[in-house]
Amino acid sequence: AQSVTQPDIHITVSEGASLELRCNYSYGATPYLFWYVQSPGQGLQLLLKYFSGDTLVQGIKGFEAEFKRSQSSFNLRKPSVHWSDAAEYFCAVGDQGGSEKLVFGKGTKLTVNP
Amino acid sequence: DAGVIQSPRHEVTEMGQEVTLRCKPISGHDYLFWYRQTMMRGLELLIYFNNNVPIDDSGMPEDRFSAKMPNASFSTLKIQPSEPRDSAVYFCASRSRGALHFGNGTRLTVT
């Protein structure tokens, strides 16, 4: 069965600093991979997705993520964090074999200090 | 595009009462998903539909939960009877191809 691990429950960074959020997945084949962001009281919004091709994926709001098959990872990065990036971030894995299910990680809460 | 619309945004009810959560997916999306989010368990898939037909309800916690999709523009999730452990945020999401689009959720509190 698919699984997703986000090792960091909570991360604090200063505004302007770089950010990397970790995501590791367990899946037997090439998965679909996603990063979502959730602001308080809101639903999840898609930041970026990987289906195939270039392993470095660009998303909205200046985020990018890199798929590394050898490490079973899909880490999210941003070179310079803005205060408005404070939110909770979820990594998710889907099945290219046909199932429509997405499995989500437990999330990483990002706090941005001024 | 109004996005996925859920109602109500908040629901407070007493144990034993029936609760109905509603969802209007994005027009043209042929998949609809119901998720539950709690601090302890994170996001859990409860059930999903394709073209209004339930495909996988293995995540529905027990028989107290039921979901329907009578047409392409409406779905309900019903809990009867409700229990305090059902307190959570329930999300509806829809998709056509690619990623899920989530509603803003219904925060359910069962006292």
Side-chain angles (χ1 to χ4, degrees):
Chain A
Q2 303 145 264
S3 67
V4 178
T5 302
Q6 294 181 245
D8 304 305
I9 297 173
H10 191 184
I11 283 184
T12 299
V13 299
S14 298
E15 190 167 17
S18 63
L19 173 69
E20 182 168 29
L21 302 182
R22 296 183 291 165
C23 172
N24 292 97
Y25 66 90
S26 173
Y27 184 65
T30 300
Y32 293 136
L33 294 161
F34 305 83
W35 275 99
Y36 284 84
V37 61
Q38 184 180 29
S39 298
Q42 303 294 313
L44 281 71
Q45 179 186 19
L46 178 69
L47 282 176
L48 48 79
K49 61 183 183 285
Y50 172 78
F51 284 178
S52 65
D54 192 347
T55 56
L56 185 62
V57 180
Q58 302 298 319
I60 62 171
K61 304 184 181 186
F63 285 93
E64 67 177 25
E66 187 170 12
F67 171 54
K68 292 186 177 180
R69 184 190 306 275
S70 62
Q71 299 176 20
S72 297
S73 69
F74 190 56
N75 294 348
L76 182 71
R77 300 193 295 251
K78 186 170 185 177
S80 178
V81 170
H82 188 262
W83 65 267
S84 60
D85 293 325
E88 190 151 19
Y89 292 80
F90 294 89
C91 182
V93 60
D95 179 3
Q96 288 205 27
S99 168
E100 299 302 324
K101 293 182 179 181
L102 284 190
V103 174
F104 284 83
K106 292 289 181 70
T108 298
K109 184 175 181 180
L110 175 66
T111 297
V112 180
N113 287 334
Chain B
D1 180 358
V4 176
I5 299 172
Q6 291 187 246
S7 64
R9 285 300 308 275
H10 302 273
E11 177 79 46
V12 180
T13 191
E14 292 183 347
M15 182 174 62
Q17 296 298 306
E18 177 179 296
V19 175
T20 299
L21 312 182
R22 297 173 175 79
C23 175
K24 176 178 170 56
I26 293 173
S27 177
H29 283 191
D30 52 358
Y31 285 89
L32 184 140
F33 301 77
W34 283 100
Y35 281 86
R36 179 172 67 176
Q37 186 179 39
T38 61
M39 290 288 291
M40 291 298 295
R41 301 172 69 92
L43 267 166
E44 302 173 279
L45 176 64
L46 300 178
I47 185 172
Y48 76 92
F49 296 81
N50 178 217
N51 292 323
N52 314 337
V53 176
I55 302 301
D56 186 340
D57 65 355
S58 59
M60 296 286 260
E62 47 198 278
D63 292 345
R64 297 184 296 106
F65 286 69
S66 62
K68 294 181 180 179
M69 193 165 184
N71 58 62
S73 58
F74 184 65
S75 177
T76 59
L77 178 67
K78 185 176 293 186
I79 308 172
Q80 166 62 19
S82 58
E83 296 183 3
R85 60 193 167 120
D86 302 330
S87 298
V89 181
Y90 291 81
F91 287 102
C92 176
S94 70
R95 54 159 278 193
S96 175
R97 290 181 292 174
L100 294 178
H101 295 260
F102 283 81
N104 285 334
T106 295
R107 181 175 294 277
L108 174 64
T109 303
V110 183
T111 61

